[in-house]
Amino acid sequence: MILFGVNLLSSTFPLISYVPLTRECLSIHIGQAGIQIGDACWELYCLEHGIQPDGGVLDSKKDQLENANVEHMDASFDTFFCETRAGKYVPRALFMDLEPTVVDGIRTGKYRSLFHPEQLVSGKEDAANNYARGHYSVGSEIIDLVLERIRKLAKQCSGLQGFLIFRSFGGGTGSGFTSLLMEQLSIEYSRKTKLEFSVYPAPRISTAVVEPYNSILTTHSTIEHSDCSFMVDNEAIFDICHRKLGVERPSYASINRLIGQAVSSITASLRFKGPLNVDLIEFQTNLVPYPRIHFPMTTFAPIISADKAYHEELSVSDITAACFEFSNQLVKCDPRLGKYMACCLLYRGDVVPKDVNAAIAAMKSRNSVRFVDWCPTGFKVGINNQPPVAMPGGDLAKVQRAVCMLSNTTAIVEAWARLDHKFDLMYAKRAFLHWYIREGMEEGEFSEAREDLAALEKDYEEVGQSF
Amino acid sequence: RKLRCGTERAGGRGLDHPGYPGAGFWLGVEWDNPERGKHDGSHEGTVYFKCRHPTGGSFIRPNKVNFGVDFLTALKNRYVLEDGPEEDGKEQIVTIGNRTVQTVGFDSVIKRQSQLNKLEDISLRNCAVNGAGDKGGIARACPHIRKVDLSRNLLSSWDDVIDIADQLKDLEVLNLSENKLEFPSCSTSLIGTFSALKVLVLNRTGITWAEVLRCAPGWPVLEELYLGSNNICISERPVDVLQTVKLLDLSSNQLIDENQLFLIAYLPRLEQLILSNIGISSIHFPDAGIGCKTSLFPSLQYLVVNDNQISQWSFINELDKLQSLDTLSCVRNPLTAGSKDSQTTRQFIIARIGQLKTLDRCQILPEERRGAELDYRKAFGNEWKKAGGHQNPDKNRPNEEFLAAHPRYQFLCQKYGAPEDGELKTQQPFILKNQLLTLKIRYPDQLDQKVLEKQLPDSMTIQKVKGLLSRLLKVPVSQLLLSYESPKMPGREIELENDQQSLQFYSVENGDSLLVRW
């Protein structure tokens, strides 16, 4: 059995006088949404790094790797993968769910040899779309096991930066267990960053009636433990797949692949050596003006159907302009109704600084881009030359360049307002509440959570106000 | 020579002519965009040069044109920052709205990209590249380039392309779209120039099929060929060329018709064929009868026929004859447009093409296929019976017309069994009209009373029926005795004794007679 290995850099190349400091990131995938997005992400990472389904590296990539080690100080590859003694690469990831079916999908799927069995944790009884079960009854039984596994993964890291947590707001495990886990992580790893990738409940496509309850409860309990939470919503992505990619009825596979591309763009600077030496702290510092205002909106461009490969040529200017289009957003809200507090443009692929400057100069005249008065710096722009990779057989065409924009805009309060409204409708009648009370929750927690979200809405309103 | 004037590109034609009014040196040009010019090369009767289009030509002053730069210069312009210390003392400050933009790490990017010999994947789109420049220059500076986008430049002939490609031994992907190139008039034998080329994009280059075949011997390992928007007419069969091609994109070539497709039907490795927007409406594989597989397009797995004129189901039926087809995209055709019945249309396509695994980028799961095939079988059951179909295999002889229109129908009957009559009864919509029973009301003890006919809902209780009759006959309810008889059961009379029950309870049906006695 492959055991967790040790970073072999220092012993393989004794000529280097110092050990490069790797800043590792642990990805934790919780619940069905988290796991399935994780599946898409790691598949994409493997394609980008040339890692085979069994953990081995493609030959041409190995040369690249060796050159990288000799030449350059930052071994960024190691931030996401751990090299074993046998020369295989194991992802620094943990997949957990309260019921076994989804995790079994990974255990029997294409990448089953990539992960160590201890990285795939499953319980027996699921959370049944119930925050209380995920947090209190069923979740509490498995939390110790999960923390122990995380400890093991953290031990192999020489300089753990932080955690990337993938989960949904609406599910039972994704909402309940995540808040439980985040509380514990804050205690045990207090100085480590925690970034979230959360699936927000779609406005019009609902998979469970109690999604608003779960979402509000988890946001309330997680908000002080999370440093930054990138939200995506299924409906926005559904529309993108349908309109731009010509997919008649987008499946979760299509949606997850698109999310995977966005996540890959966001983490590219962490995984590839490059000029944009961003670590997780930098994201925080640049995007989050107040601890509670940490929900940036993600936009991704270009989105071209694989059938139209080479028919549309998108220059840097085109993709930059596309970032400000409603249709490229991964969350449904109207940024024209709000103000920007911070904005990051992450380019990847064949992008030259000249083109970026020209593209941004062309954006100057856009008066729809309004900033808050109190924030002096506006945009932060970076380039990573690693080209975007398209999944073979996927819906997206291979492109030479792509951009991911992370913007902290006050317009996202619209998403919270929607959710709060739905919560209120049900809570006014105390509908479905008994499912939560039965698992040991109190009504007080609901009203407390709702008040917290009302305060969050007010906070957004306040930061958007002029002096 | 190609040149650029403003943002438009053109081919420079004849040069100066002293007779042209307005002293000095004028350049005659033929624009790439045929509507950009003022005339066809002639002015006030004198023909200075010839154009393909009546408004394709112009005369312009040479100082307004840009003849472009060579490859290496364009490469350096894009990727290397020529920054002398005297040029810009300050870093250029860019703003959006009223905020400054902070760029991160651009210096390192610039430094890295300046190392031209490390570049592998570059784009020189719209950089006014007119040729290779000095011989060997590219090979010395950046020999490791594997992917080049040279679209929208000023390359004028295939020879220019070869000059560049000769020096890039590792070239795998080459995009030459939107360059109006002149191709050689006879087959060229090149050794080694495109030895590694896998993907070639020639959209909007004006290339003809004959020219493709002439240049094709130079592409020994080509896997993907994109020839969109070229007004191509496939004129001959590729012999010994293009045999390695796996993907062929012929979209937006409106002159292609179904007969021309036979000429490319024997490419052995062709797996993906893109025929979007070519105006095709029908297809027929003559070598295969109903239910048989054709030998044409033996490896074709993925067919794209979006944005065409397909309106007949016979097109879909023919696609079932392809041996390897498992993925189809067929959106925005008259057959499939119109969202009212889109679910049914999708089902019918699935049912008609047996080995289809993905339709319109959605995977077809086994349950969906099962449902689609069952529904299709039910939907055409009545037609099948009318055409001579029968549940009894000995009597089952549907006519030729039906078999041609529904080639898989017999197979589906074998797979799921022939449709039962009960399945085929068309469902009556649930409106009140359909729930009414037409009943005759007779009075066996009073022979002089007329027989009435009334329509009553089958949910009406006996008590209410009695009430109705009481008002009609002016007889008190308590004295009425009701029973009914049915033509299906002659001679039998069934008593309707329980007032609380409905007509339906007693199985009173349409056409029965109510017998009233008092």
Side-chain angles (χ1 to χ4, degrees):
Chain A
M1 262 285 117
I2 297 174
L3 298 172
F4 292 111
V6 175
N7 192 320
L8 294 179
L9 274 176
S10 46
S11 51
T12 323
F13 298 100
L15 295 171
I16 298 179
S17 51
Y18 55 92
V19 178
L21 181 68
T22 39
R23 307 276 292 147
E24 295 95 348
C25 296
L26 276 186
S27 302
I28 306 180
H29 304 272
I30 305 175
Q32 181 170 12
I35 294 176
Q36 287 179 336
I37 293 177
D39 199 14
C41 286
W42 285 104
E43 185 170 1
L44 195 55
Y45 295 166
C46 287
L47 280 173
E48 291 181 358
H49 293 278
I51 295 183
Q52 310 283 61
D54 64 351
V57 183
L58 274 179
D59 276 333
S60 61
K61 292 280 180 174
K62 216 182 249 170
D63 296 328
Q64 232 178 50
L65 207 61
E66 283 175 8
N67 286 334
N69 291 341
V70 172
E71 248 180 33
H72 206 93
M73 309 308 132
D74 299 302
S76 322
F77 192 105
D78 279 353
T79 47
F80 275 63
F81 290 88
C82 174
E83 190 180 357
T84 66
R85 264 183 238 277
K88 303 274 185 197
Y89 287 85
V90 181
R92 298 186 195 276
L94 184 80
F95 289 75
M96 80 73 56
D97 196 6
L98 290 177
E99 55 107 13
T101 357
V102 189
V103 181
D104 282 345
I106 310 268
R107 287 188 184 120
T108 54
K110 183 173 168 200
Y111 287 91
R112 61 184 175 278
S113 323
L114 188 64
F115 301 101
H116 189 276
E118 288 204 340
Q119 296 177 271
L120 308 171
V121 180
S122 60
K124 295 206 192 57
E125 222 188 321
D126 82 337
N129 274 322
N130 190 336
Y131 173 92
R133 281 173 70 90
H135 191 103
Y136 298 106
S137 34
V138 185
S140 58
E141 289 165 26
I142 206 174
I143 182 74
D144 293 321
L145 176 63
V146 172
L147 286 171
E148 190 205 306
R149 298 283 166 84
I150 295 178
R151 246 171 255 135
K152 256 194 170 144
L153 285 171
K155 260 201 210 120
Q156 301 156 5
C157 301
S158 54
L160 179 64
Q161 268 192 79
F163 302 92
L164 300 169
I165 320 259
F166 294 77
R167 51 81 164 246
S168 70
F169 275 169
T173 316
S175 61
F177 188 79
T178 307
S179 47
L180 182 61
L181 181 65
M182 296 284 265
E183 282 167 22
Q184 297 299 320
L185 288 179
S186 288
I187 297 171
E188 221 176 299
Y189 305 91
S190 54
R191 294 172 67 78
K192 310 290 180 193
T193 314
K194 293 193 281 300
L195 294 189
E196 287 184 283
F197 289 89
S198 317
V199 179
Y200 169 92
R204 288 172 314 179
I205 310 167
S206 192
T207 47
V209 186
V210 292
E211 278 171 350
Y213 280 166
N214 292 337
S215 309
I216 305 250
L217 288 168
T218 188
T219 307
H220 164 62
S221 19
T222 317
I223 200 166
E224 49 187 272
H225 303 289
S226 160
D227 297 299
C228 193
S229 181
F230 301 101
M231 298 209 291
V232 295
D233 111 41
N234 277 340
E235 192 175 318
I237 303 179
F238 192 93
D239 283 343
I240 290 176
C241 287
H242 186 67
R243 286 200 206 115
K244 290 189 172 228
L245 299 178
V247 183
E248 193 73 35
R249 286 173 312 171
S251 59
Y252 279 125
S254 306
I255 293 178
N256 290 336
R257 271 189 228 125
L258 194 51
I259 298 178
Q261 288 287 351
V263 174
S264 168
S265 288
I266 296 174
T267 56
S269 50
L270 299 166
R271 289 179 291 117
F272 293 101
K273 66 171 176 149
L276 190 64
N277 189 21
V278 171
D279 47 20
L280 293 182
I281 306 272
E282 276 212 50
F283 274 123
Q284 267 177 270
T285 327
N286 288 296
L287 284 172
V288 182
Y290 298 92
R292 280 161 67 84
I293 312 287
H294 63 236
F295 298 96
M297 183 177 72
T298 322
T299 313
F300 185 75
I303 302 180
I304 304 180
S305 166
D307 289 341
K308 294 229 165 110
Y310 297 110
H311 283 268
E312 292 177 42
E313 290 302 330
L314 293 180
S315 62
V316 175
S317 312
D318 296 324
I319 58 177
T320 311
C323 278
F324 292 89
E325 264 171 49
F326 190 69
S327 52
N328 280 60
Q329 281 167 220
L330 300 185
V331 181
K332 282 213 166 210
C333 70
D334 194 350
R336 294 167 301 182
L337 299 175
K339 294 193 184 146
Y340 287 92
M341 291 174 272
C343 202
C344 271
L345 281 163
L346 304 166
Y347 290 91
R348 65 185 300 196
D350 176 65
V351 178
V352 293
K354 250 181 241 176
D355 290 345
V356 173
N357 289 333
I360 290 175
M363 295 285 310
K364 255 182 2 185
S365 52
R366 280 183 161 252
N367 41 19
S368 56
V369 177
R370 291 178 309 160
F371 268 84
V372 288
D373 294 336
W374 49 261
C375 190
T377 56
F379 281 74
K380 191 149 181 161
V381 179
I383 298 177
N384 187 291
N385 288 117
Q386 207 65 22
V389 173
M391 206 89 86
D395 306 314
L396 287 166
K398 179 141 176 41
V399 289
Q400 277 193 305
R401 59 196 71 85
V403 63
C404 183
M405 181 170 89
L406 303 169
S407 47
N408 201 343
T409 164
T410 56
I412 209 149
V413 74
E414 189 189 316
W416 295 122
R418 265 198 304 256
L419 218 47
D420 289 341
H421 176 66
K422 289 186 187 169
F423 179 101
D424 290 336
L425 287 174
M426 285 197 296
Y427 191 64
K429 290 288 194 183
R430 302 292 187 270
F432 300 100
L433 222 57
H434 65 284
W435 295 111
Y436 296 80
I437 312 282
R438 193 190 267 208
E439 301 288 339
M441 266 184 77
E442 288 173 13
E443 255 189 55
E445 207 171 323
F446 277 79
S447 38
E448 197 184 304
R450 179 65 183 92
E451 267 165 36
D452 195 8
L453 266 284
L456 182 67
E457 277 188 66
K458 269 221 106 81
D459 290 341
Y460 267 102
E461 207 185 294
E462 257 179 57
V463 299
Q465 269 166 5
S466 321
F467 286 124
Chain B
R1 285 178 68 188
K2 297 277 306 199
L3 53 87
R4 190 161 78 181
C5 181
T7 53
E8 299 270 355
R9 289 156 306 135
R13 295 296 227 185
L15 295 182
D16 71 320
H17 195 288
Y20 184 66
F25 191 87
W26 287 86
L27 215 50
V29 301
E30 180 183 3
W31 298 100
D32 281 358
N33 174 3
E35 271 139 62
R36 173 68 176 77
K38 294 204 169 91
H39 50 73
D40 63 354
S42 56
H43 179 76
E44 287 177 1
T46 320
V47 176
Y48 294 96
F49 62 93
K50 283 236 171 58
C51 277
R52 273 175 283 187
H53 198 274
T55 55
S58 291
F59 291 108
I60 47 181
R61 289 286 189 192
N63 57 1
K64 287 204 171 33
V65 307
N66 169 13
F67 282 104
V69 297
D70 66 276
F71 186 92
L72 216 48
T73 313
L75 192 67
K76 288 191 189 138
N77 280 346
R78 183 146 198 265
Y79 291 98
V80 178
L81 191 68
E82 292 142 26
D83 207 5
E86 346 40 71
E87 262 190 46
D88 271 327
K90 267 195 337 185
E91 210 186 83
Q92 192 185 22
I93 299 185
V94 193
T95 58
I96 298 185
N98 54 353
R99 290 284 177 274
T100 52
V101 175
Q102 179 192 2
T103 55
V104 178
F106 273 22
D107 299 326
S108 324
V109 175
I110 290 167
K111 227 183 275 171
R112 234 166 59 91
Q113 287 175 333
S114 304
Q115 295 173 295
L116 295 177
N117 59 355
K118 294 248 175 64
L119 289 177
E120 283 186 2
D121 186 347
I122 62 163
S123 168
L124 291 176
R125 178 178 163 83
N126 209 16
C127 290
V129 176
N130 59 14
D134 293 328
K135 219 162 171 33
I138 299 175
R140 277 191 300 271
C142 47
H144 299 298
I145 288 181
R146 290 205 261 150
K147 303 188 194 177
V148 184
D149 181 355
L150 277 169
S151 53
R152 255 185 165 243
N153 278 306
L154 301 177
L155 298 167
S156 49
S157 77
W158 190 246
D159 292 328
D160 291 336
V161 176
I162 291 182
D163 287 339
I164 297 175
D166 251 338
Q167 307 182 48
L168 299 173
K169 290 296 166 202
D170 295 333
L171 192 62
E172 286 177 14
V173 178
L174 179 59
N175 187 343
L176 293 167
S177 304
E178 298 182 74
N179 286 300
K180 284 257 176 313
L181 299 170
E182 238 178 67
F183 290 92
S185 48
C186 54
S187 213
T188 46
S189 58
L190 303 153
I191 308 163
T193 305
F194 293 107
S195 51
L197 192 69
K198 295 220 185 94
V199 178
L200 181 59
V201 186
L202 292 166
N203 297 333
R204 291 177 215 272
T205 51
I207 194 170
T208 65
W209 188 251
E211 287 164 349
V212 172
L213 295 189
R214 262 183 254 141
C215 296
W219 311 324
V221 295
L222 194 67
E223 287 179 10
E224 295 180 23
L225 182 58
Y226 295 84
L227 296 169
S229 307
N230 282 317
N231 278 333
I232 281 187
C233 229
I234 304 177
S235 47
E236 49 188 293
R237 214 173 123 154
V239 178
D240 289 334
V241 288
L242 300 180
Q243 302 295 307
T244 48
V245 169
K246 287 197 201 160
L247 182 153
L248 186 58
D249 182 355
L250 290 168
S251 31
S252 303
N253 286 303
Q254 298 276 333
L255 300 174
I256 293 185
D257 66 31
E258 57 175 291
N259 294 316
Q260 292 175 34
L261 291 177
F262 295 147
L263 296 168
I264 48 168
Y266 295 98
L267 292 170
R269 299 247 176 85
L270 189 66
E271 286 171 14
Q272 195 171 336
L273 184 58
I274 304 180
L275 297 174
S276 306
N277 193 24
I278 60 173
I280 196 169
S281 55
S282 63
I283 199 164
H284 181 60
F285 299 115
D287 66 330
I290 294 171
C292 303
K293 296 288 177 195
T294 175
S295 59
L296 281 78
F297 296 107
S299 312
L300 189 65
Q301 290 172 9
Y302 185 359
L303 179 63
V304 179
V305 285
N306 301 331
D307 301 295
N308 279 310
Q309 301 299 322
I310 301 167
S311 56
Q312 305 292 332
W313 284 109
S314 51
F315 191 102
I316 309 289
N317 289 339
E318 287 293 310
L319 293 182
D320 189 40
K321 291 181 182 170
L322 290 167
Q323 289 171 34
S324 314
L325 189 72
D326 62 30
T327 310
L328 174 68
S329 277
C330 182
V331 294
R332 293 183 294 270
N333 280 295
L335 188 67
T336 57
S339 53
K340 198 169 74 110
D341 272 324
S342 63
Q343 293 291 340
T344 316
T345 311
R346 182 183 163 87
Q347 281 195 315
F348 284 0
I349 297 178
I350 294 173
R352 287 171 189 267
I353 309 179
Q355 74 263 33
L356 207 58
K357 298 258 166 32
T358 309
L359 175 59
D360 297 337
R361 302 212 148 270
C362 286
Q363 205 190 1
I364 301 169
L365 296 167
E367 304 89 59
E368 189 181 2
R369 170 159 286 282
R370 194 185 137 83
E373 289 179 344
L374 284 170
D375 280 350
Y376 172 73
R377 173 180 144 279
K378 193 159 98 169
F380 290 99
N382 283 323
E383 217 178 283
W384 170 71
K385 290 186 78 178
K386 268 196 217 122
H390 201 278
Q391 281 94 351
N392 185 340
D394 294 328
K395 300 196 197 152
N396 183 24
R397 260 177 282 281
N399 61 28
E400 283 300 314
E401 210 184 306
F402 182 85
L403 288 175
H406 304 276
R408 280 195 91 217
Y409 200 87
Q410 294 290 81
F411 172 77
L412 291 178
C413 286
Q414 274 169 5
K415 188 170 170 188
Y416 299 105
E420 303 285 318
D421 282 334
E423 277 181 271
L424 299 177
K425 234 198 319 211
T426 40
Q427 278 241 341
Q428 293 286 3
F430 190 81
I431 49 178
L432 192 59
K433 203 168 64 165
N434 293 333
Q435 306 311 314
L436 293 175
L437 306 169
T438 312
L439 303 172
K440 296 198 191 61
I441 306 186
R442 295 212 302 239
Y443 316 97
D445 294 344
Q446 257 84 6
L447 293 168
D448 56 340
Q449 289 272 20
K450 277 202 302 204
V451 174
L452 285 174
E453 215 178 71
K454 276 234 168 275
Q455 285 192 319
L456 302 173
D458 62 357
S459 54
M460 196 168 182
T461 56
I462 305 299
Q463 186 169 41
K464 294 248 163 66
V465 177
K466 282 186 180 171
L468 174 73
L469 291 169
S470 152
R471 284 194 292 279
L472 267 177
L473 305 167
K474 317 270 193 290
V475 174
V477 174
S478 46
Q479 288 186 9
L480 289 172
L481 289 167
L482 285 183
S483 53
Y484 84 98
E485 64 176 16
S486 175
K488 287 189 187 164
M489 301 171 297
R492 232 185 111 188
E493 205 181 302
I494 296 160
E495 230 181 288
L496 304 171
E497 77 260 352
N498 189 339
D499 283 354
Q500 306 307 319
Q501 295 292 0
S502 64
L503 292 170
Q504 191 190 45
F505 176 78
Y506 287 104
S507 305
V508 179
E509 284 176 18
N510 223 356
D512 291 350
S513 310
L514 279 182
L515 306 169
V516 191
R517 294 187 181 85
W518 61 97

